Structures are given as C-alpha cells and as structure tokens.
Amino acid sequence: MPRSSKIGTDPAAGGTAAERAYCHVKERILSGDLEGGELVSEGEIADSLAMSRTPVREAFLRLQTEGWMKLYPKRGAAITPIKPREADEVIEARTLVETHAVAALADDPARAEDLAAALLVIIERQQRAADADDLDGFAVADADFHGTIAAAAGNELLINFYRGLRDRQRRMTRDSLQRRPDTHDRILDQHRRLVELIKDRDAAGFGTEISQHLDDIHRH
C-alpha cells in the first residue's frame, strides 16, 4: 500500500474567527457558490457568520494574498476567475508529479495493485456523485483520485507540493463540470483507463494518458 493513501485539505472547523471566515469564504469559492467575477462584501459574510467585520477583513486579506479574490475599497471583493495561465501551470505540474509517482511503482507490482484498488473505490464515489448530480462531491472525489496517485511514490516533498494544488484542481474540475454536462462520463472513462495503466505499471502510457485527460477536461 502507498505510504499515504490520499492528499487532503486542512480541516475548516475550529480556529479563530478570522480562520473560520477564511475557511467559509474559500469553501464557497471552491464549491462554485461564489463564482469568478462575483462581488462579495465583508458585511454579508460577517452577518452570515454572526461575527464582526474585523475577522472577515483579515480573511479577505489572506484570500487576496493567495489569489482567490481582489479587494476594492468601499465596494467589497471580487472573486478571481480561473485564468488560462493558471490552468496551464496547474495541468503541467499535475502531469509531472503523477507520472513520476506511477514511474516509482515500476518495480513494485504489489503497490501498483494496491494503488489501483484504492483508485477504483474512489471511482465508485465519483459514480455515485455523478448519479446524484452532486457536482462538488464529484470534484472532491476527483481531487482525491489524483491526490492518491501523487502520494503513491511516498515522496513527502512532492506530496506537500501537490497538496498545494488541490484547491485549484477542485475548482477547475467544478468549473469544467458546470460548463459541459457530459464531463462526468468522460472523466470516469478516462480515470478507468488510468487505473489500467497503473496496473500494468506503464509509466510512459500513463504520462501520455494523463496529459490528454487533463487537457481534454480543463482546456476544451
């Protein structure tokens, strides 16, 4: 079994008021509840969370620093859309890390089989989310699928690097699902092909397939 079965997100519960406001707004961005270009005010968030504007202001500043929103004095904050360059860079990084992880299993058929089995369980989650028309649930499972592959090599530096991509990956997938109704089925079919290549320990084939998969889902 890979040393780490998946790459997850930090828990949103608990923490200071500023941390709770940060997690609340970021989750709304990732889930698509707040879309690119949409304006949101400190007062709206403060009222919804029953807190003062001060921690919300701190949360907004942090989200702006991370590139999720742009602040406009006396107007609020605009949610930053997904930029083409950002999408290209995320796709390139994911392709490199995931292909490396599969290549690391070339001489370990047992770990490759264990990884494939774990991924099939996640695909079942994705299928249930697709059947329920749960776009965000599908996007979260998609992030788990790819994060599990990235973690398979057991390289902690790469795992931490890939964890930093997870939120942007989830948002990109959610956006693709909203734009094209047939994306669920295409992702599921492509994920099943990726699993077969992992079983075969075909890193070269996987590299070609993952590149085509990410390009098909996020660039077209």
Side-chain angles (χ1 to χ4, degrees), residues 37-85:
E38 185 172 345
L39 281 172
V40 60
S41 71
E42 293 176 4
E44 173 193 341
I45 301 301
D47 290 345
S48 67
L49 297 177
M51 62 175 61
S52 72
R53 294 192 182 195
T54 299
V56 175
R57 187 173 302 115
E58 292 177 25
F60 277 21
L61 287 169
R62 181 177 170 187
L63 289 162
Q64 176 174 250
T65 299
E66 294 178 359
W68 296 107
M69 58 170 49
K70 173 70 174 176
L71 301 185
Y72 295 95
K74 300 181 180 179
R75 292 178 55 197
I79 307 303
T80 305
I82 299 170
K83 300 175 182 177
R85 180 181 177 85

Tab-separated table of all heavy atoms in Angstrom, residues 37-85:
chain	number	residue	atom	x	y	z
A	37	GLY	N	-15.553	36.646	-10.692
A	37	GLY	CA	-16.127	37.937	-11.042
A	37	GLY	C	-17.208	38.412	-10.102
A	37	GLY	O	-17.579	39.593	-10.123
A	38	GLU	N	-17.719	37.521	-9.257
A	38	GLU	CA	-18.802	37.904	-8.347
A	38	GLU	C	-18.264	38.776	-7.215
A	38	GLU	O	-17.176	38.547	-6.693
A	38	GLU	CB	-19.446	36.647	-7.769
A	38	GLU	CG	-20.671	36.908	-6.906
A	38	GLU	CD	-21.393	35.636	-6.519
A	38	GLU	OE1	-21.113	34.582	-7.138
A	38	GLU	OE2	-22.231	35.691	-5.599
A	39	LEU	N	-19.046	39.775	-6.825
A	39	LEU	CA	-18.681	40.654	-5.717
A	39	LEU	C	-19.284	40.142	-4.409
A	39	LEU	O	-20.442	39.712	-4.386
A	39	LEU	CB	-19.164	42.078	-5.971
A	39	LEU	CG	-18.335	42.951	-6.915
A	39	LEU	CD1	-19.076	44.255	-7.206
A	39	LEU	CD2	-16.960	43.254	-6.305
A	40	VAL	N	-18.490	40.210	-3.342
A	40	VAL	CA	-18.970	39.816	-2.028
A	40	VAL	C	-18.477	40.859	-1.036
A	40	VAL	O	-17.374	41.388	-1.166
A	40	VAL	CB	-18.459	38.399	-1.656
A	40	VAL	CG1	-16.944	38.341	-1.631
A	40	VAL	CG2	-19.032	37.946	-0.326
A	41	SER	N	-19.305	41.183	-0.051
A	41	SER	CA	-18.944	42.227	0.905
A	41	SER	C	-18.581	41.646	2.258
A	41	SER	O	-19.017	40.544	2.624
A	41	SER	CB	-20.110	43.206	1.077
A	41	SER	OG	-21.173	42.589	1.780
A	42	GLU	N	-17.783	42.400	3.015
A	42	GLU	CA	-17.449	41.999	4.371
A	42	GLU	C	-18.708	41.871	5.225
A	42	GLU	O	-18.850	40.938	6.020
A	42	GLU	CB	-16.509	43.028	5.006
A	42	GLU	CG	-15.138	43.099	4.383
A	42	GLU	CD	-14.291	44.207	4.997
A	42	GLU	OE1	-14.780	44.857	5.958
A	42	GLU	OE2	-13.170	44.437	4.532
A	43	GLY	N	-19.636	42.816	5.039
A	43	GLY	CA	-20.861	42.802	5.832
A	43	GLY	C	-21.687	41.558	5.594
A	43	GLY	O	-22.247	40.979	6.535
A	44	GLU	N	-21.781	41.140	4.332
A	44	GLU	CA	-22.560	39.938	4.009
A	44	GLU	C	-21.991	38.715	4.717
A	44	GLU	O	-22.733	37.923	5.316
A	44	GLU	CB	-22.526	39.714	2.494
A	44	GLU	CG	-23.150	38.393	2.040
A	44	GLU	CD	-22.824	38.058	0.598
A	44	GLU	OE1	-22.445	38.972	-0.160
A	44	GLU	OE2	-22.943	36.872	0.245
A	45	ILE	N	-20.673	38.560	4.653
A	45	ILE	CA	-20.043	37.406	5.293
A	45	ILE	C	-20.143	37.506	6.807
A	45	ILE	O	-20.439	36.519	7.498
A	45	ILE	CB	-18.569	37.286	4.858
A	45	ILE	CG1	-18.473	37.128	3.338
A	45	ILE	CG2	-17.897	36.114	5.564
A	45	ILE	CD1	-19.203	35.937	2.773
A	46	ALA	N	-19.911	38.699	7.345
A	46	ALA	CA	-19.995	38.872	8.794
A	46	ALA	C	-21.383	38.534	9.312
A	46	ALA	O	-21.535	37.850	10.338
A	46	ALA	CB	-19.628	40.312	9.160
A	47	ASP	N	-22.415	38.977	8.595
A	47	ASP	CA	-23.785	38.680	9.016
A	47	ASP	C	-24.076	37.185	8.957
A	47	ASP	O	-24.717	36.629	9.860
A	47	ASP	CB	-24.780	39.436	8.133
A	47	ASP	CG	-24.766	40.933	8.391
A	47	ASP	OD1	-24.214	41.352	9.437
A	47	ASP	OD2	-25.295	41.684	7.546
A	48	SER	N	-23.611	36.535	7.903
A	48	SER	CA	-23.907	35.109	7.744
A	48	SER	C	-23.216	34.265	8.805
A	48	SER	O	-23.696	33.184	9.158
A	48	SER	CB	-23.498	34.624	6.347
A	48	SER	OG	-22.089	34.665	6.184
A	49	LEU	N	-22.083	34.762	9.316
A	49	LEU	CA	-21.337	34.012	10.338
A	49	LEU	C	-21.539	34.553	11.748
A	49	LEU	O	-20.935	34.040	12.694
A	49	LEU	CB	-19.845	34.037	9.989
A	49	LEU	CG	-19.452	33.353	8.682
A	49	LEU	CD1	-17.960	33.524	8.416
A	49	LEU	CD2	-19.813	31.870	8.710
A	50	ALA	N	-22.376	35.592	11.866
A	50	ALA	CA	-22.649	36.198	13.174
A	50	ALA	C	-21.369	36.638	13.878
A	50	ALA	O	-21.121	36.308	15.045
A	50	ALA	CB	-23.453	35.240	14.054
A	51	MET	N	-20.551	37.388	13.147
A	51	MET	CA	-19.310	37.909	13.726
A	51	MET	C	-19.103	39.334	13.240
A	51	MET	O	-19.819	39.815	12.346
A	51	MET	CB	-18.110	37.029	13.346
A	51	MET	CG	-17.824	36.963	11.861
A	51	MET	SD	-16.297	36.036	11.437
A	51	MET	CE	-16.650	34.392	12.077
A	52	SER	N	-18.136	40.036	13.819
A	52	SER	CA	-17.849	41.400	13.394
A	52	SER	C	-17.116	41.394	12.056
A	52	SER	O	-16.675	40.343	11.567
A	52	SER	CB	-16.995	42.105	14.448
A	52	SER	OG	-15.673	41.589	14.431
A	53	ARG	N	-16.959	42.586	11.475
A	53	ARG	CA	-16.284	42.667	10.182
A	53	ARG	C	-14.775	42.519	10.285
A	53	ARG	O	-14.124	42.203	9.287
A	53	ARG	CB	-16.610	44.011	9.516
A	53	ARG	CG	-18.072	44.158	9.136
A	53	ARG	CD	-18.284	45.362	8.238
A	53	ARG	NE	-19.683	45.545	7.894
A	53	ARG	CZ	-20.106	46.324	6.911
A	53	ARG	NH1	-19.228	47.008	6.190
A	53	ARG	NH2	-21.398	46.440	6.654
A	54	THR	N	-14.210	42.750	11.453
A	54	THR	CA	-12.749	42.720	11.589
A	54	THR	C	-12.150	41.370	11.192
A	54	THR	O	-11.217	41.321	10.370
A	54	THR	CB	-12.326	43.096	13.020
A	54	THR	OG1	-12.786	44.425	13.305
A	54	THR	CG2	-10.809	43.029	13.162
A	55	PRO	N	-12.618	40.242	11.732
A	55	PRO	CA	-12.049	38.963	11.293
A	55	PRO	C	-12.327	38.659	9.822
A	55	PRO	O	-11.522	38.013	9.156
A	55	PRO	CB	-12.723	37.935	12.208
A	55	PRO	CG	-13.937	38.622	12.731
A	55	PRO	CD	-13.599	40.061	12.816
A	56	VAL	N	-13.460	39.141	9.301
A	56	VAL	CA	-13.764	38.936	7.887
A	56	VAL	C	-12.770	39.713	7.032
A	56	VAL	O	-12.286	39.222	6.001
A	56	VAL	CB	-15.212	39.357	7.558
A	56	VAL	CG1	-15.472	39.240	6.059
A	56	VAL	CG2	-16.208	38.513	8.350
A	57	ARG	N	-12.442	40.926	7.479
A	57	ARG	CA	-11.449	41.720	6.751
A	57	ARG	C	-10.107	40.996	6.716
A	57	ARG	O	-9.426	40.962	5.688
A	57	ARG	CB	-11.308	43.094	7.409
A	57	ARG	CG	-10.419	44.068	6.629
A	57	ARG	CD	-10.467	45.463	7.238
A	57	ARG	NE	-11.841	45.971	7.274
A	57	ARG	CZ	-12.514	46.231	8.387
A	57	ARG	NH1	-11.935	46.049	9.570
A	57	ARG	NH2	-13.753	46.689	8.346
A	58	GLU	N	-9.722	40.385	7.836
A	58	GLU	CA	-8.473	39.621	7.890
A	58	GLU	C	-8.529	38.437	6.921
A	58	GLU	O	-7.550	38.142	6.226
A	58	GLU	CB	-8.233	39.113	9.308
A	58	GLU	CG	-7.929	40.199	10.331
A	58	GLU	CD	-7.765	39.628	11.727
A	58	GLU	OE1	-7.409	38.430	11.851
A	58	GLU	OE2	-7.990	40.359	12.704
A	59	ALA	N	-9.686	37.788	6.885
A	59	ALA	CA	-9.845	36.647	5.975
A	59	ALA	C	-9.750	37.090	4.518
A	59	ALA	O	-9.100	36.430	3.690
A	59	ALA	CB	-11.191	35.964	6.232
A	60	PHE	N	-10.379	38.225	4.206
A	60	PHE	CA	-10.329	38.738	2.838
A	60	PHE	C	-8.894	39.066	2.423
A	60	PHE	O	-8.479	38.791	1.292
A	60	PHE	CB	-11.202	39.984	2.710
A	60	PHE	CG	-12.664	39.706	2.475
A	60	PHE	CD1	-13.231	38.483	2.804
A	60	PHE	CD2	-13.494	40.677	1.928
A	60	PHE	CE1	-14.581	38.234	2.594
A	60	PHE	CE2	-14.839	40.441	1.697
A	60	PHE	CZ	-15.387	39.215	2.031
A	61	LEU	N	-8.139	39.661	3.328
A	61	LEU	CA	-6.746	39.996	3.015
A	61	LEU	C	-5.938	38.739	2.733
A	61	LEU	O	-5.111	38.705	1.808
A	61	LEU	CB	-6.130	40.781	4.174
A	61	LEU	CG	-6.606	42.228	4.337
A	61	LEU	CD1	-6.123	42.802	5.668
A	61	LEU	CD2	-6.129	43.099	3.169
A	62	ARG	N	-6.179	37.698	3.514
A	62	ARG	CA	-5.471	36.424	3.293
A	62	ARG	C	-5.875	35.809	1.951
A	62	ARG	O	-5.015	35.324	1.205
A	62	ARG	CB	-5.783	35.469	4.446
A	62	ARG	CG	-5.099	34.118	4.344
A	62	ARG	CD	-5.424	33.279	5.558
A	62	ARG	NE	-4.980	31.908	5.404
A	62	ARG	CZ	-5.259	30.929	6.258
A	62	ARG	NH1	-5.984	31.198	7.354
A	62	ARG	NH2	-4.838	29.693	6.047
A	63	LEU	N	-7.152	35.848	1.644
A	63	LEU	CA	-7.627	35.288	0.378
A	63	LEU	C	-7.088	36.081	-0.810
A	63	LEU	O	-6.796	35.510	-1.860
A	63	LEU	CB	-9.154	35.261	0.366
A	63	LEU	CG	-9.783	34.221	1.307
A	63	LEU	CD1	-11.253	34.563	1.560
A	63	LEU	CD2	-9.647	32.825	0.728
A	64	GLN	N	-6.939	37.387	-0.646
A	64	GLN	CA	-6.360	38.186	-1.717
A	64	GLN	C	-4.879	37.819	-1.912
A	64	GLN	O	-4.420	37.666	-3.050
A	64	GLN	CB	-6.472	39.683	-1.407
A	64	GLN	CG	-5.797	40.567	-2.456
A	64	GLN	CD	-6.031	42.048	-2.224
A	64	GLN	OE1	-6.742	42.689	-2.983
A	64	GLN	NE2	-5.435	42.585	-1.174
A	65	THR	N	-4.160	37.651	-0.819
A	65	THR	CA	-2.750	37.269	-0.898
A	65	THR	C	-2.578	35.939	-1.629
A	65	THR	O	-1.631	35.746	-2.394
A	65	THR	CB	-2.136	37.172	0.517
A	65	THR	OG1	-2.232	38.446	1.152
A	65	THR	CG2	-0.685	36.729	0.461
A	66	GLU	N	-3.508	35.013	-1.418
A	66	GLU	CA	-3.442	33.700	-2.050
A	66	GLU	C	-3.999	33.699	-3.470
A	66	GLU	O	-3.956	32.672	-4.150
A	66	GLU	CB	-4.204	32.679	-1.199
A	66	GLU	CG	-3.550	32.443	0.160
A	66	GLU	CD	-4.332	31.474	1.024
A	66	GLU	OE1	-5.398	30.990	0.577
A	66	GLU	OE2	-3.883	31.191	2.151
A	67	GLY	N	-4.547	34.834	-3.905
A	67	GLY	CA	-5.016	34.939	-5.280
A	67	GLY	C	-6.452	34.541	-5.523
A	67	GLY	O	-6.879	34.430	-6.676
A	68	TRP	N	-7.238	34.371	-4.453
A	68	TRP	CA	-8.629	33.947	-4.623
A	68	TRP	C	-9.580	35.123	-4.847
A	68	TRP	O	-10.672	34.931	-5.378
A	68	TRP	CB	-9.096	33.157	-3.403
A	68	TRP	CG	-8.347	31.886	-3.202
A	68	TRP	CD1	-7.404	31.632	-2.236
A	68	TRP	CD2	-8.443	30.687	-3.970
A	68	TRP	NE1	-6.912	30.354	-2.366
A	68	TRP	CE2	-7.535	29.751	-3.423
A	68	TRP	CE3	-9.213	30.314	-5.081
A	68	TRP	CZ2	-7.369	28.466	-3.933
A	68	TRP	CZ3	-9.050	29.029	-5.592
A	68	TRP	CH2	-8.140	28.124	-5.030
A	69	MET	N	-9.210	36.316	-4.417
A	69	MET	CA	-10.078	37.472	-4.602
A	69	MET	C	-9.252	38.752	-4.719
A	69	MET	O	-8.059	38.766	-4.396
A	69	MET	CB	-11.098	37.602	-3.459
A	69	MET	CG	-10.480	37.729	-2.080
A	69	MET	SD	-11.696	38.184	-0.770
A	69	MET	CE	-13.032	37.038	-1.020
A	70	LYS	N	-9.912	39.805	-5.189
A	70	LYS	CA	-9.299	41.123	-5.311
A	70	LYS	C	-10.155	42.109	-4.545
A	70	LYS	O	-11.368	42.214	-4.773
A	70	LYS	CB	-9.224	41.533	-6.782
A	70	LYS	CG	-8.753	42.963	-7.025
A	70	LYS	CD	-7.294	43.160	-6.696
A	70	LYS	CE	-6.837	44.564	-7.091
A	70	LYS	NZ	-5.434	44.805	-6.682
A	71	LEU	N	-9.528	42.850	-3.607
A	71	LEU	CA	-10.261	43.783	-2.765
A	71	LEU	C	-10.398	45.141	-3.445
A	71	LEU	O	-9.458	45.643	-4.064
A	71	LEU	CB	-9.555	43.961	-1.423
A	71	LEU	CG	-9.354	42.693	-0.581
A	71	LEU	CD1	-8.754	43.050	0.767
A	71	LEU	CD2	-10.664	41.942	-0.398
A	72	TYR	N	-11.590	45.737	-3.295
A	72	TYR	CA	-11.874	47.076	-3.801
A	72	TYR	C	-12.435	47.903	-2.658
A	72	TYR	O	-13.530	47.596	-2.164
A	72	TYR	CB	-12.861	47.015	-4.970
A	72	TYR	CG	-12.310	46.306	-6.182
A	72	TYR	CD1	-12.561	44.951	-6.386
A	72	TYR	CD2	-11.535	46.991	-7.112
A	72	TYR	CE1	-12.053	44.289	-7.496
A	72	TYR	CE2	-11.021	46.346	-8.232
A	72	TYR	CZ	-11.280	45.003	-8.406
A	72	TYR	OH	-10.763	44.358	-9.508
A	73	PRO	N	-11.710	48.935	-2.216
A	73	PRO	CA	-12.170	49.741	-1.075
A	73	PRO	C	-13.593	50.253	-1.261
A	73	PRO	O	-13.956	50.742	-2.334
A	73	PRO	CB	-11.158	50.898	-1.052
A	73	PRO	CG	-9.925	50.327	-1.679
A	73	PRO	CD	-10.423	49.399	-2.752
A	74	LYS	N	-14.394	50.098	-0.226
A	74	LYS	CA	-15.780	50.563	-0.162
A	74	LYS	C	-16.731	49.819	-1.110
A	74	LYS	O	-17.915	50.130	-1.157
A	74	LYS	CB	-15.868	52.070	-0.440
A	74	LYS	CG	-15.087	52.912	0.557
A	74	LYS	CD	-15.231	54.394	0.263
A	74	LYS	CE	-14.458	55.232	1.263
A	74	LYS	NZ	-14.568	56.688	0.987
A	75	ARG	N	-16.224	48.849	-1.854
A	75	ARG	CA	-17.083	48.081	-2.769
A	75	ARG	C	-17.165	46.613	-2.380
A	75	ARG	O	-18.139	45.940	-2.703
A	75	ARG	CB	-16.563	48.196	-4.208
A	75	ARG	CG	-16.709	49.585	-4.810
A	75	ARG	CD	-16.133	49.606	-6.216
A	75	ARG	NE	-16.730	48.594	-7.066
A	75	ARG	CZ	-16.197	48.180	-8.228
A	75	ARG	NH1	-15.034	48.672	-8.639
A	75	ARG	NH2	-16.807	47.270	-8.956
A	76	GLY	N	-16.140	46.101	-1.731
A	76	GLY	CA	-16.109	44.700	-1.372
A	76	GLY	C	-14.955	43.992	-2.056
A	76	GLY	O	-13.899	44.580	-2.290
A	77	ALA	N	-15.159	42.741	-2.395
A	77	ALA	CA	-14.116	41.935	-3.024
A	77	ALA	C	-14.705	41.183	-4.208
A	77	ALA	O	-15.829	40.677	-4.144
A	77	ALA	CB	-13.524	40.962	-2.022
A	78	ALA	N	-13.936	41.096	-5.282
A	78	ALA	CA	-14.344	40.341	-6.462
A	78	ALA	C	-13.607	39.008	-6.468
A	78	ALA	O	-12.389	38.955	-6.260
A	78	ALA	CB	-14.030	41.123	-7.738
A	79	ILE	N	-14.347	37.946	-6.695
A	79	ILE	CA	-13.749	36.618	-6.764
A	79	ILE	C	-12.916	36.521	-8.048
A	79	ILE	O	-13.388	36.858	-9.131
A	79	ILE	CB	-14.821	35.516	-6.745
A	79	ILE	CG1	-15.750	35.702	-5.535
A	79	ILE	CG2	-14.169	34.141	-6.739
A	79	ILE	CD1	-15.050	35.714	-4.202
A	80	THR	N	-11.691	36.069	-7.915
A	80	THR	CA	-10.791	35.976	-9.062
A	80	THR	C	-11.183	34.797	-9.951
A	80	THR	O	-11.250	33.662	-9.470
A	80	THR	CB	-9.335	35.790	-8.591
A	80	THR	OG1	-8.987	36.854	-7.699
A	80	THR	CG2	-8.382	35.781	-9.775
A	81	PRO	N	-11.425	35.036	-11.235
A	81	PRO	CA	-11.730	33.918	-12.142
A	81	PRO	C	-10.501	33.032	-12.352
A	81	PRO	O	-9.375	33.438	-12.067
A	81	PRO	CB	-12.120	34.624	-13.456
A	81	PRO	CG	-12.339	36.057	-13.094
A	81	PRO	CD	-11.475	36.334	-11.910
A	82	ILE	N	-10.736	31.828	-12.872
A	82	ILE	CA	-9.622	30.949	-13.224
A	82	ILE	C	-8.978	31.491	-14.500
A	82	ILE	O	-9.629	31.613	-15.531
A	82	ILE	CB	-10.115	29.509	-13.460
A	82	ILE	CG1	-10.768	28.953	-12.191
A	82	ILE	CG2	-8.956	28.611	-13.899
A	82	ILE	CD1	-11.490	27.637	-12.399
A	83	LYS	N	-7.706	31.819	-14.423
A	83	LYS	CA	-7.016	32.388	-15.569
A	83	LYS	C	-6.399	31.278	-16.421
A	83	LYS	O	-5.944	30.259	-15.883
A	83	LYS	CB	-5.927	33.352	-15.088
A	83	LYS	CG	-6.473	34.511	-14.271
A	83	LYS	CD	-5.357	35.374	-13.713
A	83	LYS	CE	-5.912	36.501	-12.853
A	83	LYS	NZ	-4.836	37.321	-12.239
A	84	PRO	N	-6.358	31.444	-17.753
A	84	PRO	CA	-5.786	30.407	-18.623
A	84	PRO	C	-4.366	30.018	-18.228
A	84	PRO	O	-4.016	28.832	-18.238
A	84	PRO	CB	-5.825	31.063	-20.014
A	84	PRO	CG	-6.964	32.026	-19.939
A	84	PRO	CD	-6.938	32.556	-18.528
A	85	ARG	N	-3.538	30.988	-17.876
A	85	ARG	CA	-2.155	30.672	-17.491
A	85	ARG	C	-2.119	29.820	-16.224
A	85	ARG	O	-1.318	28.881	-16.114
A	85	ARG	CB	-1.369	31.963	-17.281
A	85	ARG	CG	0.091	31.720	-16.881
A	85	ARG	CD	0.833	33.039	-16.669
A	85	ARG	NE	2.193	32.813	-16.223
A	85	ARG	CZ	3.226	32.579	-17.014
A	85	ARG	NH1	3.032	32.545	-18.328
A	85	ARG	NH2	4.434	32.394	-16.535
